């Protein structure tokens, strides 16, 4: 099916009937994409929440590319990292554990959000849908070969090992979601070029439309969308999935919070 930037229900993203139905029951589960505890946390959440339909922020292109090329990408990363570590005079094990190298490894692998949701979906016979646009994934993935070069890995190894922890990012996410989005944030660029803003706005619209189409077709009783926490913000200059679909704050859950309950 061709991916478009608008829902099939173009004139009104949320009709009155849908607003009172599946959309009003939709829960957004926000994640920090490099959360090292993410898989286990999502698995526990799913077993407790028991959704009957799951959407995951991952595009068809991003999924297929990782499935087909993931092994070669990881092989390239490890091979080039050995060379970069030798040049940088860093022990192999230390290089592997560098936070920026670990983040890069997670980036080229299937996201923990998909892996956990996929296993749950198979186990309980729950429909699972990919809900992101391939055009955006393609643009991002195009830079991966350059990221995996020996030269770039050397640069990453030279950077401080101090890296924002997932716990600190979840705390920042909680503040951004519940408080004034205009406040300064270490997690968000202070400015973005107009073309990036336009693409981000188009992406949010596409994501909301995809979610709405799936909910309309299946009418689930307990739908769940697993996504990066930025899609749960509000009151910014670009409408987010949460705002477009009118999801109430009490149906926006951060993964670390869910793990504590």
């Amino acid at each position: 099916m061709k991916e478009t930037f608008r829902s099939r229900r173009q004139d009104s993203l949320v009709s009155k009937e849908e607003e009172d139905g599946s959309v009003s029951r939709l829960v957004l589960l926000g994640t920090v994409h490099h959360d090292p505890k993410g898989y286990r946390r999502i698995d526990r959440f799913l077993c407790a929440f028991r959704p009957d339909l799951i959407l995951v922020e991952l595009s068809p292109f991003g999924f297929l590319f990782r499935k087909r090329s993931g092994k070669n990408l990881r092989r390239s990363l490890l091979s080039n990292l050995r060379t970069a570590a030798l040049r940088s005079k860093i022990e192999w094990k230390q290089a592997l554990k560098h936070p920026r190298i670990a983040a890069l490894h997670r980036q080229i692998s299937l996201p923990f959000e998909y892996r956990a949701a996929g296993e749950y979906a198979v186990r309980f016979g729950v429909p699972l849908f990919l809900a992101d646009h391939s055009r955006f994934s393609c643009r991002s993935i195009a830079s991966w070969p350059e990221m995996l070069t020996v030269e770039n890995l050397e640069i990453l190894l030279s950077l401080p090992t101090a890296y924002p922890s997932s716990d600190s990012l979840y705390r920042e996410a909680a503040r951004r979601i519940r408080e004034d989005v205009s406040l300064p944030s270490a997690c968000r660029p202070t400015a973005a070029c107009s073309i990036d803003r336009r693409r981000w706005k188009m992406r949010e619209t596409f994501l909301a439309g995809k979610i709405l189409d799936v909910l309309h077709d299946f009418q689930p009783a307990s739908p769940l969308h697993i996504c990066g926490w930025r899609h749960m913000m509000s009151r910014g200059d670009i409408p987010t999935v949460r705002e477009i679909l009118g999801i109430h704050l009490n149906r926006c859950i951060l993964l670390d919070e869910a793990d504590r309950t």
Side-chain angles (χ1 to χ4, degrees), residues 142-171:
S143 66
W144 286 8
E146 182 179 352
M147 289 194 311
L148 299 178
T149 62
V150 172
E151 292 73 20
N152 188 63
L153 295 177
E154 280 189 89
I155 293 173
L156 294 180
L157 290 174
S158 70
L159 297 175
T161 55
Y163 197 74
S165 68
S166 59
D167 289 341
S168 68
L169 292 178
Y170 276 120
R171 288 193 295 271

Coordinates of all heavy atoms in Angstrom, one line a residue, residues 142-171:
A142 N 20.1 6.7 5.1 CA 21.1 7.1 4.1 C 22.4 7.5 4.7 O 23.5 7.4 4.0 CB 20.6 8.1 3.2
S143 N 22.4 8.0 5.9 CA 23.7 8.5 6.6 C 24.4 7.4 7.3 O 25.5 7.6 7.8 CB 23.3 9.6 7.5 OG 22.6 9.2 8.6
W144 N 23.8 6.2 7.4 CA 24.4 5.1 8.2 C 25.8 4.7 7.7 O 26.7 4.5 8.6 CB 23.5 3.9 8.3 CG 22.3 4.2 9.2 CD1 22.0 5.4 9.8 CD2 21.4 3.2 9.7 NE1 20.9 5.2 10.6 CE2 20.5 3.9 10.5 CE3 21.2 1.9 9.4 CZ2 19.4 3.3 11.1 CZ3 20.1 1.2 10.0 CH2 19.2 1.9 10.9
P145 N 26.0 4.5 6.4 CA 27.4 4.1 6.0 C 28.5 5.0 6.5 O 29.5 4.6 6.9 CB 27.2 4.1 4.4 CG 25.8 3.8 4.2 CD 25.1 4.5 5.3
E146 N 28.2 6.3 6.4 CA 29.2 7.3 6.9 C 29.4 7.2 8.4 O 30.5 7.3 8.9 CB 28.7 8.7 6.5 CG 29.7 9.8 7.0 CD 29.2 11.2 6.6 OE1 28.2 11.3 5.8 OE2 29.9 12.1 7.0
M147 N 28.3 6.9 9.2 CA 28.4 6.8 10.6 C 29.3 5.6 11.0 O 29.9 5.6 12.1 CB 27.0 6.6 11.2 CG 26.2 7.8 11.2 SD 24.7 7.7 12.3 CE 24.1 6.1 11.8
L148 N 29.3 4.5 10.2 CA 30.0 3.3 10.5 C 31.5 3.3 10.0 O 32.1 2.3 10.2 CB 29.3 2.1 9.9 CG 27.8 1.9 10.4 CD1 27.2 0.7 9.8 CD2 27.8 1.7 12.0
T149 N 31.9 4.4 9.4 CA 33.3 4.4 9.0 C 34.3 4.4 10.1 O 33.9 4.8 11.2 CB 33.6 5.6 8.1 OG1 33.4 6.8 8.9 CG2 32.7 5.6 6.9
V150 N 35.5 4.0 9.9 CA 36.5 4.0 10.9 C 36.8 5.4 11.4 O 36.9 5.6 12.6 CB 37.9 3.4 10.3 CG1 39.0 3.6 11.4 CG2 37.7 1.9 10.0
E151 N 36.8 6.3 10.5 CA 37.0 7.7 10.9 C 36.0 8.3 11.8 O 36.3 8.9 12.8 CB 37.1 8.6 9.6 CG 38.3 8.4 8.8 CD 38.2 7.1 8.0 OE1 37.1 6.5 7.8 OE2 39.3 6.6 7.5
N152 N 34.7 8.0 11.6 CA 33.6 8.4 12.4 C 33.7 7.7 13.8 O 33.4 8.4 14.8 CB 32.3 8.3 11.8 CG 31.2 8.9 12.6 OD1 31.1 10.1 12.7 ND2 30.2 8.1 13.1
L153 N 34.0 6.4 13.8 CA 34.0 5.7 15.0 C 35.2 6.2 15.9 O 35.1 6.3 17.1 CB 34.2 4.2 14.7 CG 33.0 3.5 14.0 CD1 33.3 2.1 13.7 CD2 31.7 3.7 14.9
E154 N 36.3 6.6 15.3 CA 37.4 7.2 16.0 C 36.9 8.5 16.7 O 37.2 8.8 17.9 CB 38.5 7.6 15.1 CG 39.4 6.4 14.7 CD 40.7 6.9 14.0 OE1 41.7 7.2 14.6 OE2 40.6 6.9 12.7
I155 N 36.1 9.3 16.0 CA 35.6 10.5 16.6 C 34.7 10.2 17.8 O 34.8 10.9 18.8 CB 34.8 11.3 15.5 CG1 35.8 11.8 14.4 CG2 34.1 12.5 16.2 CD1 35.1 12.5 13.3
L156 N 33.8 9.2 17.6 CA 32.9 8.9 18.7 C 33.7 8.4 19.9 O 33.4 8.7 21.1 CB 32.0 7.8 18.2 CG 30.9 8.2 17.2 CD1 30.0 7.0 16.8 CD2 30.1 9.4 17.6
L157 N 34.8 7.6 19.7 CA 35.6 7.1 20.8 C 36.3 8.2 21.5 O 36.7 8.1 22.7 CB 36.5 6.0 20.3 CG 35.9 4.7 19.8 CD1 37.0 3.8 19.2 CD2 35.3 4.0 21.0
S158 N 36.6 9.3 20.8 CA 37.3 10.4 21.4 C 36.4 11.3 22.2 O 36.9 12.1 23.0 CB 38.0 11.3 20.3 OG 37.0 12.0 19.6
L159 N 35.1 11.1 22.1 CA 34.2 12.0 22.9 C 34.1 11.5 24.3 O 34.3 10.3 24.6 CB 32.8 12.0 22.2 CG 32.7 12.6 20.8 CD1 31.4 12.4 20.1 CD2 33.1 14.0 20.8
P160 N 33.7 12.4 25.2 CA 33.5 12.0 26.6 C 32.5 10.8 26.8 O 31.6 10.7 26.0 CB 33.0 13.2 27.3 CG 33.4 14.4 26.4 CD 33.4 13.8 25.0
T161 N 32.8 9.9 27.7 CA 31.9 8.8 27.9 C 30.7 9.2 28.6 O 29.7 8.5 28.6 CB 32.6 7.7 28.7 OG1 33.1 8.3 30.0 CG2 33.8 7.1 28.0
A162 N 30.7 10.4 29.2 CA 29.5 10.9 29.9 C 28.4 11.1 28.8 O 28.6 11.7 27.8 CB 29.8 12.3 30.6
Y163 N 27.2 10.5 29.1 CA 26.2 10.5 28.1 C 24.9 10.6 28.9 O 24.8 9.9 29.9 CB 26.2 9.2 27.2 CG 25.5 9.3 26.0 CD1 25.9 10.0 24.9 CD2 24.3 8.5 25.8 CE1 25.2 10.0 23.7 CE2 23.6 8.5 24.6 CZ 24.1 9.3 23.5 OH 23.4 9.3 22.3
P164 N 23.9 11.3 28.5 CA 22.6 11.4 29.3 C 22.1 10.0 29.5 O 21.9 9.3 28.6 CB 21.7 12.3 28.4 CG 22.6 13.0 27.5 CD 23.8 12.2 27.2
S165 N 21.8 9.7 30.7 CA 21.2 8.4 31.1 C 19.8 8.4 30.6 O 19.1 9.4 30.5 CB 21.3 8.1 32.6 OG 20.5 9.0 33.3
S166 N 19.3 7.2 30.4 CA 17.8 7.1 30.1 C 17.0 7.6 31.2 O 15.9 8.2 30.9 CB 17.5 5.6 29.8 OG 17.7 4.8 30.9
D167 N 17.4 7.4 32.4 CA 16.6 7.9 33.6 C 16.5 9.5 33.5 O 15.4 10.0 33.8 CB 17.2 7.5 34.9 CG 17.1 6.0 35.2 OD1 16.2 5.4 34.5 OD2 17.8 5.5 36.0
S168 N 17.6 10.1 33.2 CA 17.6 11.6 33.1 C 16.7 12.0 32.0 O 16.0 13.1 32.1 CB 19.0 12.2 33.0 OG 19.6 11.8 31.8
L169 N 16.7 11.3 30.9 CA 15.9 11.7 29.7 C 14.4 11.4 30.0 O 13.6 12.2 29.5 CB 16.4 10.9 28.5 CG 17.8 11.2 28.0 CD1 18.1 10.4 26.8 CD2 17.8 12.7 27.5
Y170 N 14.1 10.4 30.8 CA 12.7 10.2 31.1 C 12.2 11.3 32.0 O 11.1 11.8 31.9 CB 12.5 8.8 31.8 CG 12.4 7.7 30.9 CD1 13.3 6.6 30.9 CD2 11.3 7.6 30.0 CE1 13.2 5.5 30.0 CE2 11.2 6.5 29.1 CZ 12.1 5.5 29.1 OH 12.0 4.4 28.3
R171 N 13.1 11.8 32.9 CA 12.7 12.9 33.8 C 12.5 14.2 33.0 O 11.5 14.9 33.2 CB 13.8 13.2 34.9 CG 13.9 12.1 35.9 CD 14.7 12.6 37.1 NE 16.1 12.8 36.8 CZ 17.0 11.9 36.8 NH1 16.7 10.6 37.2 NH2 18.3 12.1 36.5

